[in-house]
Amino acid sequence: QKEVEQNSGPLSVPEGAIASLNCTYSDRGSQSFFWYRQYSGKSPELIMFIYSNGDKEDGRFTAQLNKASQYVSLLIRDSQPSDSATYLCAVNAGYGGATNKLIFGTGTLLAVQP
Amino acid sequence: GAVVSQHPSWVICKSGTSVKIECRSLDFQATTMFWYRQFPKQSLMLMATSNEGSKATYEQGVEKDKFLINHASLTLSTLTVTSAHPEDSSFYICSARDRPYATNEKLFFGSGTQLSVL
């Protein structure tokens, strides 16, 4: 059973601080990794995706991937109250072709305190 | 970005009835669609994958005779929950991509359907 694990939180950070969200995955063959933001009762919204080891930055968001440790993280700089949501880590399962599908973690609830 | 329209947004039904949820791609051809279910405070659990014109592939533990998926056209997939029971109450979300072999950064989600079975 391929698994994606996250700390459910809540992770509480003050406004302006850096929020660090972590995710581990069990399938060593996974090649692509995604972070989604989900507000309560809404569908997920893609924030970042990363394929290669190292860091990938997009605005206030940085995704970090370490395939050897099977670990992916998301950093949010200058956190804002509007960032308060559940952040879902997703890992691509399947090895190409029509079997490509995403396996989601349970999500981490982030609360940014004004 | 591409739009996936999902209807209804919420539905309340009596136990034993069937409920159909529609997922439409509005500005692209959705060759592959995924159906997820999400219970409160839990993650999205993949139920099935459907490719246009083919039978859906169900994940382990998902009853294919209870959750009927039809993907007869490139813009429409439907999920029918047959003989719904209270334990089927959940948030159902569809997602679609425009190519069967595409990587999933081009995966577009519907707005979800909250199903409550009394």
Side-chain angles (χ1 to χ4, degrees):
Chain A
Q1 178 75 16
K2 299 180 175 65
E3 291 183 351
V4 179
E5 296 188 359
Q6 297 178 256
N7 187 319
S8 61
L11 173 65
S12 183
V13 300
E15 184 175 355
I18 296 175
S20 178
L21 305 161
N22 304 314
C23 171
T24 58
Y25 59 95
S26 63
D27 184 4
R28 189 169 285 277
S30 297
Q31 297 294 318
S32 48
F33 309 86
F34 304 82
W35 282 99
Y36 285 84
R37 177 173 62 196
Q38 186 179 29
Y39 294 108
S40 181
K42 304 295 184 182
S43 59
E45 172 193 7
L46 182 64
I47 300 296
M48 294 278 290
F49 61 88
I50 185 168
Y51 299 149
S52 304
N53 276 329
D55 295 0
K56 178 181 179 182
E57 186 175 320
D58 183 2
R60 295 188 296 115
F61 300 97
T62 299
Q64 299 175 316
L65 175 61
N66 183 326
K67 290 185 179 180
S69 300
Q70 295 175 238
Y71 176 93
V72 58
S73 65
L74 178 70
L75 301 178
I76 306 174
R77 289 181 297 282
D78 189 22
S79 296
Q80 300 298 309
S82 58
D83 295 326
S84 298
T86 296
Y87 288 80
L88 303 171
C89 173
V91 175
N92 205 63
Y95 299 97
T99 60
N100 256 354
K101 57 190 177 185
L102 288 184
I103 304 300
F104 284 84
T106 53
T108 298
L109 177 62
L110 173 66
V112 180
Q113 307 300 325
Chain B
V3 177
V4 175
S5 176
Q6 185 173 345
H7 292 281
S9 300
W10 57 270
V11 58
I12 301 173
C13 69
K14 293 182 179 179
S15 184
T17 61
S18 294
V19 174
K20 179 184 283 187
I21 301 170
E22 291 190 351
C23 184
R24 293 180 184 271
S25 57
L26 298 185
D27 52 1
F28 69 101
Q29 293 185 327
T31 56
T32 302
M33 284 194 175
F34 303 93
W35 286 95
Y36 288 88
R37 177 169 55 182
Q38 186 176 34
F39 292 108
K41 300 189 186 300
Q42 296 188 23
S43 189
L44 281 73
M45 297 300 295
L46 180 64
M47 299 176 67
T49 302
S50 70
N51 290 296
E52 184 266 337
S54 302
K55 287 185 178 180
T57 301
Y58 289 82
E59 295 298 303
Q60 189 175 6
V62 177
E63 301 174 58
K64 63 180 181 180
D65 293 331
K66 180 171 182 63
F67 299 99
L68 302 180
I69 291 173
N70 184 290
H71 191 171
S73 80
L74 285 171
T75 59
L76 175 64
S77 177
T78 61
L79 167 67
T80 301
V81 183
T82 62
S83 186
H85 288 92
E87 58 265 30
D88 298 322
S89 298
S90 185
F91 191 54
Y92 292 86
I93 307 176
C94 67
S95 64
R97 64 180 184 221
D98 60 357
R99 286 166 288 168
Y101 303 105
T103 52
N104 286 309
E105 71 271 17
K106 300 262 182 171
L107 192 64
F108 305 102
F109 282 84
S111 53
T113 298
Q114 181 63 53
L115 171 63
S116 296
V117 184
L118 304 179

